[in-house]
PDB file of all heavy atoms in Angstrom:
ATOM      1  N   VAL F 522      -2.877  -5.258-111.887  1.00 94.00           N
ATOM      2  CA  VAL F 522      -2.937  -6.242-112.989  1.00 94.00           C
ATOM      3  C   VAL F 522      -4.026  -7.332-112.696  1.00 94.00           C
ATOM      4  O   VAL F 522      -4.782  -7.716-113.599  1.00 94.00           O
ATOM      5  CB  VAL F 522      -1.572  -7.002-113.001  1.00 94.00           C
ATOM      6  CG1 VAL F 522      -1.623  -8.178-114.018  1.00 94.00           C
ATOM      7  CG2 VAL F 522      -0.437  -6.023-113.457  1.00 94.00           C
ATOM      8  N   TYR F 523      -4.211  -7.673-111.400  1.00 95.00           N
ATOM      9  CA  TYR F 523      -5.201  -8.565-110.979  1.00 95.00           C
ATOM     10  C   TYR F 523      -5.998  -7.834-109.798  1.00 95.00           C
ATOM     11  O   TYR F 523      -5.423  -7.008-109.082  1.00 95.00           O
ATOM     12  CB  TYR F 523      -4.704  -9.853-110.418  1.00 95.00           C
ATOM     13  CG  TYR F 523      -3.911 -10.688-111.447  1.00 95.00           C
ATOM     14  CD1 TYR F 523      -2.488 -10.696-111.409  1.00 95.00           C
ATOM     15  CD2 TYR F 523      -4.637 -11.321-112.510  1.00 95.00           C
ATOM     16  CE1 TYR F 523      -1.829 -11.441-112.414  1.00 95.00           C
ATOM     17  CE2 TYR F 523      -3.921 -12.042-113.389  1.00 95.00           C
ATOM     18  CZ  TYR F 523      -2.521 -12.030-113.374  1.00 95.00           C
ATOM     19  OH  TYR F 523      -1.830 -12.800-114.346  1.00 95.00           O
ATOM     20  N   PRO F 524      -7.304  -8.111-109.714  1.00 97.00           N
ATOM     21  CA  PRO F 524      -8.094  -7.434-108.590  1.00 97.00           C
ATOM     22  C   PRO F 524      -7.452  -7.526-107.249  1.00 97.00           C
ATOM     23  O   PRO F 524      -7.048  -8.703-106.848  1.00 97.00           O
ATOM     24  CB  PRO F 524      -9.511  -8.158-108.618  1.00 97.00           C
ATOM     25  CG  PRO F 524      -9.576  -8.676-109.963  1.00 97.00           C
ATOM     26  CD  PRO F 524      -8.112  -9.112-110.377  1.00 97.00           C
ATOM     27  N   LEU F 525      -7.334  -6.480-106.469  1.00 97.00           N
ATOM     28  CA  LEU F 525      -6.764  -6.531-105.185  1.00 97.00           C
ATOM     29  C   LEU F 525      -7.602  -7.423-104.207  1.00 97.00           C
ATOM     30  O   LEU F 525      -7.034  -8.058-103.294  1.00 97.00           O
ATOM     31  CB  LEU F 525      -6.712  -5.089-104.563  1.00 97.00           C
ATOM     32  CG  LEU F 525      -5.770  -4.122-105.330  1.00 97.00           C
ATOM     33  CD1 LEU F 525      -5.663  -2.832-104.567  1.00 97.00           C
ATOM     34  CD2 LEU F 525      -4.331  -4.834-105.527  1.00 97.00           C
ATOM     35  N   GLU F 526      -8.936  -7.537-104.446  1.00 97.00           N
ATOM     36  CA  GLU F 526      -9.796  -8.438-103.578  1.00 97.00           C
ATOM     37  C   GLU F 526      -9.318  -9.841-103.629  1.00 97.00           C
ATOM     38  O   GLU F 526      -9.554 -10.625-102.723  1.00 97.00           O
ATOM     39  CB  GLU F 526     -11.207  -8.275-104.088  1.00 97.00           C
ATOM     40  CG  GLU F 526     -11.876  -6.858-103.817  1.00 97.00           C
ATOM     41  CD  GLU F 526     -11.578  -5.929-104.975  1.00 97.00           C
ATOM     42  OE1 GLU F 526     -10.854  -6.313-105.827  1.00 97.00           O
ATOM     43  OE2 GLU F 526     -12.025  -4.787-104.928  1.00 97.00           O
ATOM     44  N   THR F 527      -8.799 -10.268-104.755  1.00 97.00           N
ATOM     45  CA  THR F 527      -8.251 -11.689-104.973  1.00 97.00           C
ATOM     46  C   THR F 527      -6.815 -11.760-105.101  1.00 97.00           C
ATOM     47  O   THR F 527      -6.309 -12.758-105.651  1.00 97.00           O
ATOM     48  CB  THR F 527      -9.056 -12.279-106.098  1.00 97.00           C
ATOM     49  OG1 THR F 527      -8.853 -11.522-107.278  1.00 97.00           O
ATOM     50  CG2 THR F 527     -10.437 -12.536-105.815  1.00 97.00           C
ATOM     51  N   THR F 528      -6.118 -10.783-104.632  1.00 97.00           N
ATOM     52  CA  THR F 528      -4.569 -10.765-104.512  1.00 97.00           C
ATOM     53  C   THR F 528      -4.350 -11.322-103.147  1.00 97.00           C
ATOM     54  O   THR F 528      -4.780 -10.807-102.140  1.00 97.00           O
ATOM     55  CB  THR F 528      -4.022  -9.397-104.613  1.00 97.00           C
ATOM     56  OG1 THR F 528      -4.283  -8.952-105.907  1.00 97.00           O
ATOM     57  CG2 THR F 528      -2.608  -9.432-104.366  1.00 97.00           C
ATOM     58  N   ALA F 529      -3.762 -12.529-103.043  1.00 97.00           N
ATOM     59  CA  ALA F 529      -3.516 -13.237-101.757  1.00 97.00           C
ATOM     60  C   ALA F 529      -2.743 -12.445-100.745  1.00 97.00           C
ATOM     61  O   ALA F 529      -3.198 -12.388 -99.581  1.00 97.00           O
ATOM     62  CB  ALA F 529      -2.944 -14.575-102.075  1.00 97.00           C
ATOM     63  N   ALA F 530      -1.642 -11.925-101.220  1.00 97.00           N
ATOM     64  CA  ALA F 530      -0.799 -11.198-100.340  1.00 97.00           C
ATOM     65  C   ALA F 530       0.280 -10.512-101.141  1.00 97.00           C
ATOM     66  O   ALA F 530       0.480 -10.755-102.289  1.00 97.00           O
ATOM     67  CB  ALA F 530      -0.146 -12.125 -99.245  1.00 97.00           C
ATOM     68  N   GLY F 531       1.165  -9.656-100.431  1.00 96.00           N
ATOM     69  CA  GLY F 531       2.235  -9.061-101.103  1.00 96.00           C
ATOM     70  C   GLY F 531       3.409  -8.994-100.101  1.00 96.00           C
ATOM     71  O   GLY F 531       3.200  -9.001 -98.852  1.00 96.00           O
ATOM     72  N   VAL F 532       4.634  -8.948-100.692  1.00 94.00           N
ATOM     73  CA  VAL F 532       5.894  -8.840 -99.898  1.00 94.00           C
ATOM     74  C   VAL F 532       6.625  -7.610-100.470  1.00 94.00           C
ATOM     75  O   VAL F 532       6.863  -7.551-101.632  1.00 94.00           O
ATOM     76  CB  VAL F 532       6.728 -10.093 -99.970  1.00 94.00           C
ATOM     77  CG1 VAL F 532       7.984  -9.874 -99.278  1.00 94.00           C
ATOM     78  CG2 VAL F 532       5.962 -11.258 -99.413  1.00 94.00           C
ATOM     79  N   ASN F 533       7.014  -6.667 -99.513  1.00 92.00           N
ATOM     80  CA  ASN F 533       7.744  -5.548 -99.846  1.00 92.00           C
ATOM     81  C   ASN F 533       9.263  -5.761 -99.625  1.00 92.00           C
ATOM     82  O   ASN F 533       9.677  -6.115 -98.608  1.00 92.00           O
ATOM     83  CB  ASN F 533       7.288  -4.377 -99.076  1.00 92.00           C
ATOM     84  CG  ASN F 533       7.992  -3.095 -99.458  1.00 92.00           C
ATOM     85  OD1 ASN F 533       8.508  -2.883-100.526  1.00 92.00           O
ATOM     86  ND2 ASN F 533       8.150  -2.142 -98.484  1.00 92.00           N
ATOM     87  N   VAL F 534      10.102  -5.548-100.676  1.00 87.00           N
ATOM     88  CA  VAL F 534      11.563  -5.640-100.537  1.00 87.00           C
ATOM     89  C   VAL F 534      12.008  -4.109-100.804  1.00 87.00           C
ATOM     90  O   VAL F 534      11.994  -3.707-101.949  1.00 87.00           O
ATOM     91  CB  VAL F 534      12.161  -6.537-101.652  1.00 87.00           C
ATOM     92  CG1 VAL F 534      13.721  -6.618-101.352  1.00 87.00           C
ATOM     93  CG2 VAL F 534      11.659  -8.021-101.398  1.00 87.00           C
ATOM     94  N   ASP F 535      12.320  -3.477 -99.711  1.00 82.00           N
ATOM     95  CA  ASP F 535      12.763  -2.131 -99.962  1.00 82.00           C
ATOM     96  C   ASP F 535      14.273  -2.027-100.038  1.00 82.00           C
ATOM     97  O   ASP F 535      14.750  -1.619-101.103  1.00 82.00           O
ATOM     98  CB  ASP F 535      12.288  -1.258 -98.681  1.00 82.00           C
ATOM     99  CG  ASP F 535      12.394   0.219 -98.894  1.00 82.00           C
ATOM    100  OD1 ASP F 535      13.237   0.637 -99.763  1.00 82.00           O
ATOM    101  OD2 ASP F 535      11.667   1.054 -98.287  1.00 82.00           O
ATOM    102  N   ALA F 536      14.960  -2.364 -98.922  1.00 78.00           N
ATOM    103  CA  ALA F 536      16.449  -2.412 -98.995  1.00 78.00           C
ATOM    104  C   ALA F 536      16.905  -3.375 -97.978  1.00 78.00           C
ATOM    105  O   ALA F 536      16.587  -3.271 -96.760  1.00 78.00           O
ATOM    106  CB  ALA F 536      17.003  -1.023 -98.791  1.00 78.00           C
ATOM    107  N   LEU F 537      17.759  -4.355 -98.349  1.00 89.00           N
ATOM    108  CA  LEU F 537      18.354  -5.274 -97.511  1.00 89.00           C
ATOM    109  C   LEU F 537      19.830  -4.900 -97.275  1.00 89.00           C
ATOM    110  O   LEU F 537      20.430  -4.369 -98.186  1.00 89.00           O
ATOM    111  CB  LEU F 537      18.227  -6.669 -98.047  1.00 89.00           C
ATOM    112  CG  LEU F 537      16.783  -7.247 -98.310  1.00 89.00           C
ATOM    113  CD1 LEU F 537      16.778  -8.624 -98.881  1.00 89.00           C
ATOM    114  CD2 LEU F 537      16.010  -7.275 -97.060  1.00 89.00           C
ATOM    115  N   ALA F 538      20.281  -5.159 -96.095  1.00 89.00           N
ATOM    116  CA  ALA F 538      21.615  -4.631 -95.745  1.00 89.00           C
ATOM    117  C   ALA F 538      22.806  -5.659 -96.111  1.00 89.00           C
ATOM    118  O   ALA F 538      22.731  -6.762 -95.747  1.00 89.00           O
ATOM    119  CB  ALA F 538      21.606  -4.429 -94.238  1.00 89.00           C
ATOM    120  N   PRO F 539      23.858  -5.122 -96.704  1.00 91.00           N
ATOM    121  CA  PRO F 539      24.952  -5.995 -97.013  1.00 91.00           C
ATOM    122  C   PRO F 539      25.933  -6.090 -95.920  1.00 91.00           C
ATOM    123  O   PRO F 539      27.148  -5.756 -96.012  1.00 91.00           O
ATOM    124  CB  PRO F 539      25.553  -5.197 -98.195  1.00 91.00           C
ATOM    125  CG  PRO F 539      25.299  -3.745 -97.942  1.00 91.00           C
ATOM    126  CD  PRO F 539      23.964  -3.751 -97.305  1.00 91.00           C
ATOM    127  N   THR F 540      25.462  -6.491 -94.716  1.00 92.00           N
ATOM    128  CA  THR F 540      26.289  -6.502 -93.571  1.00 92.00           C
ATOM    129  C   THR F 540      26.567  -7.864 -93.048  1.00 92.00           C
ATOM    130  O   THR F 540      27.018  -8.112 -91.909  1.00 92.00           O
ATOM    131  CB  THR F 540      25.496  -5.705 -92.407  1.00 92.00           C
ATOM    132  OG1 THR F 540      24.249  -6.150 -92.329  1.00 92.00           O
ATOM    133  CG2 THR F 540      25.523  -4.226 -92.705  1.00 92.00           C
ATOM    134  N   GLY F 541      26.257  -8.917 -93.825  1.00 94.00           N
ATOM    135  CA  GLY F 541      26.482 -10.251 -93.543  1.00 94.00           C
ATOM    136  C   GLY F 541      25.329 -11.057 -92.949  1.00 94.00           C
ATOM    137  O   GLY F 541      24.252 -10.430 -92.742  1.00 94.00           O
ATOM    138  N   ALA F 542      25.475 -12.266 -92.770  1.00 96.00           N
ATOM    139  CA  ALA F 542      24.351 -13.146 -92.229  1.00 96.00           C
ATOM    140  C   ALA F 542      23.958 -12.652 -90.847  1.00 96.00           C
ATOM    141  O   ALA F 542      24.693 -12.323 -90.055  1.00 96.00           O
ATOM    142  CB  ALA F 542      24.864 -14.631 -92.159  1.00 96.00           C
ATOM    143  N   ALA F 543      22.717 -12.784 -90.578  1.00 97.00           N
ATOM    144  CA  ALA F 543      22.073 -12.466 -89.270  1.00 97.00           C
ATOM    145  C   ALA F 543      21.207 -13.539 -88.779  1.00 97.00           C
ATOM    146  O   ALA F 543      20.785 -14.383 -89.470  1.00 97.00           O
ATOM    147  CB  ALA F 543      21.233 -11.178 -89.457  1.00 97.00           C
ATOM    148  N   LYS F 544      21.070 -13.585 -87.459  1.00 97.00           N
ATOM    149  CA  LYS F 544      20.290 -14.537 -86.817  1.00 97.00           C
ATOM    150  C   LYS F 544      18.842 -14.235 -86.805  1.00 97.00           C
ATOM    151  O   LYS F 544      18.002 -14.975 -86.372  1.00 97.00           O
ATOM    152  CB  LYS F 544      20.792 -14.782 -85.421  1.00 97.00           C
ATOM    153  CG  LYS F 544      22.238 -15.145 -85.211  1.00 97.00           C
ATOM    154  CD  LYS F 544      22.718 -15.124 -83.787  1.00 97.00           C
ATOM    155  CE  LYS F 544      24.198 -15.230 -83.582  1.00 97.00           C
ATOM    156  NZ  LYS F 544      24.550 -15.139 -82.237  1.00 97.00           N
ATOM    157  N   ASP F 545      18.479 -13.073 -87.207  1.00 98.00           N
ATOM    158  CA  ASP F 545      17.090 -12.514 -87.190  1.00 98.00           C
ATOM    159  C   ASP F 545      16.709 -11.795 -88.487  1.00 98.00           C
ATOM    160  O   ASP F 545      17.578 -11.609 -89.294  1.00 98.00           O
ATOM    161  CB  ASP F 545      16.900 -11.700 -85.981  1.00 98.00           C
ATOM    162  CG  ASP F 545      17.805 -10.378 -86.004  1.00 98.00           C
ATOM    163  OD1 ASP F 545      18.689 -10.394 -86.864  1.00 98.00           O
ATOM    164  OD2 ASP F 545      17.645  -9.460 -85.125  1.00 98.00           O
ATOM    165  N   VAL F 546      15.518 -11.463 -88.579  1.00 97.00           N
ATOM    166  CA  VAL F 546      14.982 -10.549 -89.661  1.00 97.00           C
ATOM    167  C   VAL F 546      14.143  -9.565 -88.905  1.00 97.00           C
ATOM    168  O   VAL F 546      13.551  -9.795 -87.917  1.00 97.00           O
ATOM    169  CB  VAL F 546      14.264 -11.203 -90.783  1.00 97.00           C
ATOM    170  CG1 VAL F 546      15.052 -12.247 -91.486  1.00 97.00           C
ATOM    171  CG2 VAL F 546      12.923 -11.873 -90.301  1.00 97.00           C
ATOM    172  N   LEU F 547      14.047  -8.346 -89.438  1.00 96.00           N
ATOM    173  CA  LEU F 547      13.176  -7.345 -88.917  1.00 96.00           C
ATOM    174  C   LEU F 547      11.831  -7.337 -89.715  1.00 96.00           C
ATOM    175  O   LEU F 547      11.860  -7.328 -90.907  1.00 96.00           O
ATOM    176  CB  LEU F 547      13.810  -5.959 -89.052  1.00 96.00           C
ATOM    177  CG  LEU F 547      12.972  -4.740 -88.774  1.00 96.00           C
ATOM    178  CD1 LEU F 547      12.547  -4.699 -87.287  1.00 96.00           C
ATOM    179  CD2 LEU F 547      13.688  -3.492 -89.084  1.00 96.00           C
ATOM    180  N   VAL F 548      10.754  -7.349 -88.999  1.00 97.00           N
ATOM    181  CA  VAL F 548       9.384  -7.178 -89.594  1.00 97.00           C
ATOM    182  C   VAL F 548       8.973  -5.869 -89.246  1.00 97.00           C
ATOM    183  O   VAL F 548       8.631  -5.547 -88.054  1.00 97.00           O
ATOM    184  CB  VAL F 548       8.444  -8.339 -89.148  1.00 97.00           C
ATOM    185  CG1 VAL F 548       7.037  -7.948 -89.640  1.00 97.00           C
ATOM    186  CG2 VAL F 548       8.905  -9.691 -89.738  1.00 97.00           C
ATOM    187  N   VAL F 549       8.884  -4.907 -90.240  1.00 96.00           N
ATOM    188  CA  VAL F 549       8.414  -3.598 -89.984  1.00 96.00           C
ATOM    189  C   VAL F 549       6.893  -3.635 -89.921  1.00 96.00           C
ATOM    190  O   VAL F 549       6.262  -4.224 -90.752  1.00 96.00           O
ATOM    191  CB  VAL F 549       8.852  -2.642 -91.193  1.00 96.00           C
ATOM    192  CG1 VAL F 549       8.291  -1.283 -90.861  1.00 96.00           C
ATOM    193  CG2 VAL F 549      10.346  -2.656 -91.305  1.00 96.00           C
ATOM    194  N   GLY F 550       6.281  -2.980 -88.877  1.00 95.00           N
ATOM    195  CA  GLY F 550       4.848  -3.088 -88.686  1.00 95.00           C
ATOM    196  C   GLY F 550       4.475  -4.384 -88.150  1.00 95.00           C
ATOM    197  O   GLY F 550       3.319  -4.883 -88.371  1.00 95.00           O
ATOM    198  N   TYR F 551       5.286  -4.949 -87.270  1.00 96.00           N
ATOM    199  CA  TYR F 551       5.023  -6.290 -86.741  1.00 96.00           C
ATOM    200  C   TYR F 551       3.681  -6.274 -85.992  1.00 96.00           C
ATOM    201  O   TYR F 551       3.306  -5.342 -85.285  1.00 96.00           O
ATOM    202  CB  TYR F 551       6.197  -6.627 -85.710  1.00 96.00           C
ATOM    203  CG  TYR F 551       5.941  -7.944 -85.047  1.00 96.00           C
ATOM    204  CD1 TYR F 551       6.237  -9.133 -85.769  1.00 96.00           C
ATOM    205  CD2 TYR F 551       5.393  -8.129 -83.743  1.00 96.00           C
ATOM    206  CE1 TYR F 551       6.133 -10.458 -85.147  1.00 96.00           C
ATOM    207  CE2 TYR F 551       5.250  -9.294 -83.220  1.00 96.00           C
ATOM    208  CZ  TYR F 551       5.595 -10.398 -83.909  1.00 96.00           C
ATOM    209  OH  TYR F 551       5.428 -11.728 -83.324  1.00 96.00           O
ATOM    210  N   GLY F 552       2.966  -7.422 -86.183  1.00 96.00           N
ATOM    211  CA  GLY F 552       1.650  -7.509 -85.554  1.00 96.00           C
ATOM    212  C   GLY F 552       0.489  -7.171 -86.455  1.00 96.00           C
ATOM    213  O   GLY F 552      -0.661  -7.229 -86.003  1.00 96.00           O
ATOM    214  N   GLN F 553       0.742  -6.799 -87.759  1.00 97.00           N
ATOM    215  CA  GLN F 553      -0.310  -6.430 -88.606  1.00 97.00           C
ATOM    216  C   GLN F 553      -1.083  -7.581 -89.197  1.00 97.00           C
ATOM    217  O   GLN F 553      -2.334  -7.582 -89.213  1.00 97.00           O
ATOM    218  CB  GLN F 553       0.214  -5.583 -89.763  1.00 97.00           C
ATOM    219  CG  GLN F 553       0.582  -4.141 -89.379  1.00 97.00           C
ATOM    220  CD  GLN F 553      -0.630  -3.278 -89.293  1.00 97.00           C
ATOM    221  OE1 GLN F 553      -1.781  -3.716 -89.496  1.00 97.00           O
ATOM    222  NE2 GLN F 553      -0.446  -1.993 -88.937  1.00 97.00           N
ATOM    223  N   SER F 554      -0.380  -8.635 -89.663  1.00 98.00           N
ATOM    224  CA  SER F 554      -1.001  -9.680 -90.399  1.00 98.00           C
ATOM    225  C   SER F 554      -0.489 -11.107 -89.997  1.00 98.00           C
ATOM    226  O   SER F 554       0.519 -11.204 -89.377  1.00 98.00           O
ATOM    227  CB  SER F 554      -0.856  -9.527 -91.850  1.00 98.00           C
ATOM    228  OG  SER F 554       0.328 -10.004 -92.348  1.00 98.00           O
TER     229      SER F 554
END
């Protein structure tokens, strides 16, 4: 829809777990950006 060169960033929501509140979050591919 807009040029990728001027797309600031993106967030992927694949599937979040219905297992209750957690003290952490998982970052898949940690260390990339």
Side-chain angles (χ1 to χ4, degrees):
V522 174
Y523 300 105
L525 297 185
E526 295 82 0
T527 51
T528 297
V532 175
N533 180 28
V534 180
D535 192 337
L537 300 177
T540 50
K544 303 173 187 177
D545 59 351
V546 301
L547 170 66
V548 171
V549 179
Y551 180 80
Q553 284 284 358
S554 80

